[in-house]
Amino acid sequence: MPTVPTLTLNNGVTIPQLGFGVFQIPDDETTAAVTEALDAGYRSIDTAAVYGNEVGVGRALADSGLPRDDLFVTTKVWNSDQGYDATLAAFDTSLGKLGLDHVDLYLVHWPSPARGLYPETWRALEKLAAEGRIRAAGVSNFQPAHLHRLTEGSSLVPAVNQIELHPGLQQAELRALHARYGIVTEAWSPLAQGALLDDEVLVTIAGRHGKSPAQVVLRWHLQLGNVVIPKSVTPARIRQNIDVFDFELSDAEMDAVAGLDRGMRTGPDPETVS
């Protein structure tokens, strides 16, 4: 079973650098998928209220028999639940569905700038962190202006910003801002939903290492220092995605992957999500 390295967040909490995402997995399939992931060696599971599968995640965690301290569980507050009181209530609902007494990382899912509630929402996460009900507080899909507003108005700097990030959308400016603030970059859609996996650059590098293009992309993320959360319901792919710690990309190979950046989003623009 692979040993997944960890990164230390800005509050001292450690997070596995590779985890398992459950976006778009129906609740009735989630328990089996998470069980497979845990058996393969994943210890970090990323879900969200809006995914509708927190119950399935919680069932798999309970059935695993693994000590709670060995697990890292992330969930997120949805846009319609933003605001101080609404966020606290939404957190209680998520915690009940997961069957846990705390989560390791709680994220504001989108800035939803049209609502204008994310600073108020962040105050709720500050309270949850102070009470020990979340071990770390973070955000997702936040752009530089949103991060500036949060950090200017709060003593609590987000531990993580989970953003769409893959070779086709490398977000160098945003990652540089994270580095200045001490925010860990976490990549969702790390494989661009497969859109780039037949690219000649990735295929060539994969052949050189005896790996798949997907494994090359995940290795690229790890070497950049990102946290990465690939998702699959296929047992073979779940196991393949964690089998990325027995090879290393050269500087030239990292540069070649960097050359694939084309500003290509697979998801929505964070400025327009309401």
Side-chain angles (χ1 to χ4, degrees):
M1 186 176 294
T3 300
V4 177
T6 60
L7 298 179
T8 301
L9 303 178
N10 57 21
N11 66 349
V13 169
T14 57
I15 181 173
Q17 202 179 354
L18 190 147
F20 184 69
V22 297
F23 176 55
Q24 293 183 327
I25 303 179
D27 191 62
D28 60 357
E29 298 178 24
T30 297
T31 299
V34 173
T35 297
E36 183 72 28
L38 295 172
D39 187 62
Y42 296 81
R43 292 296 178 266
S44 174
I45 308 298
D46 179 277
T47 185
V50 77
Y51 298 171
N53 55 21
E54 290 172 314
V55 170
V57 169
R59 189 180 303 118
L61 299 178
D63 291 349
S64 74
L66 291 166
R68 176 65 183 89
D69 289 349
D70 289 356
L71 301 167
F72 193 98
V73 181
T74 300
T75 193
K76 313 174 190 78
V77 58
W78 185 239
N79 304 344
S80 58
D81 290 320
Q82 284 205 31
Y84 184 80
D85 291 333
T87 295
L88 295 176
F91 176 78
D92 286 339
T93 298
S94 287
L95 207 61
K97 289 181 176 180
L98 289 164
L100 301 175
D101 62 4
H102 72 279
V103 298
D104 300 279
L105 179 62
Y106 197 44
L107 304 179
V108 184
H109 204 150
W110 292 87
S112 192
R115 296 175 188 269
L117 294 174
Y118 65 83
E120 194 178 322
T121 303
W122 187 246
R123 284 199 305 112
L125 268 66
E126 288 181 296
K127 174 180 171 64
L128 293 169
E131 294 174 347
R133 303 185 74 201
I134 61 177
R135 296 178 64 225
V139 295
S140 183
N141 302 299
F142 273 50
Q143 298 300 289
H146 312 134
L147 290 174
H148 287 311
R149 186 174 176 191
L150 275 194
T151 54
E152 288 169 1
S154 170
S155 60
L156 182 65
V157 175
V160 167
N161 188 14
Q162 185 183 117
I163 59 174
E164 180 178 353
L165 182 61
H166 46 73
L169 183 70
Q170 299 186 22
Q171 306 230 50
E173 179 185 353
L174 187 50
R175 288 190 290 116
L177 182 63
H178 292 169
R180 286 208 300 277
Y181 280 134
I183 298 170
V184 164
T185 300
E186 185 170 23
W188 66 260
S189 193
L191 302 173
Q193 299 184 24
L196 299 172
L197 296 184
D198 60 354
D199 186 279
E200 184 179 350
V201 169
L202 297 176
V203 171
T204 299
I205 296 172
R208 194 177 296 141
H209 291 278
K211 294 290 185 178
S212 71
Q215 288 171 310
V216 167
V217 173
L218 294 174
R219 184 69 210 178
W220 171 80
H221 279 287
L222 295 170
Q223 289 181 217
L224 282 179
N226 300 333
V227 172
V228 62
I229 46 170
K231 163 251 172 178
S232 179
V233 295
T234 306
R237 285 197 185 138
I238 289 172
R239 293 180 180 275
Q240 183 186 82
N241 287 344
I242 201 173
D243 183 22
V244 291
F245 300 105
D246 59 351
F247 75 108
E248 188 169 325
L249 302 181
S250 68
D251 290 345
E253 289 169 335
M254 291 291 290
D255 289 344
V257 179
L260 299 178
D261 194 6
R262 60 192 71 166
M264 180 191 80
R265 288 191 181 275
T266 66
D269 182 339
E271 294 289 356
T272 65
V273 174
S274 59

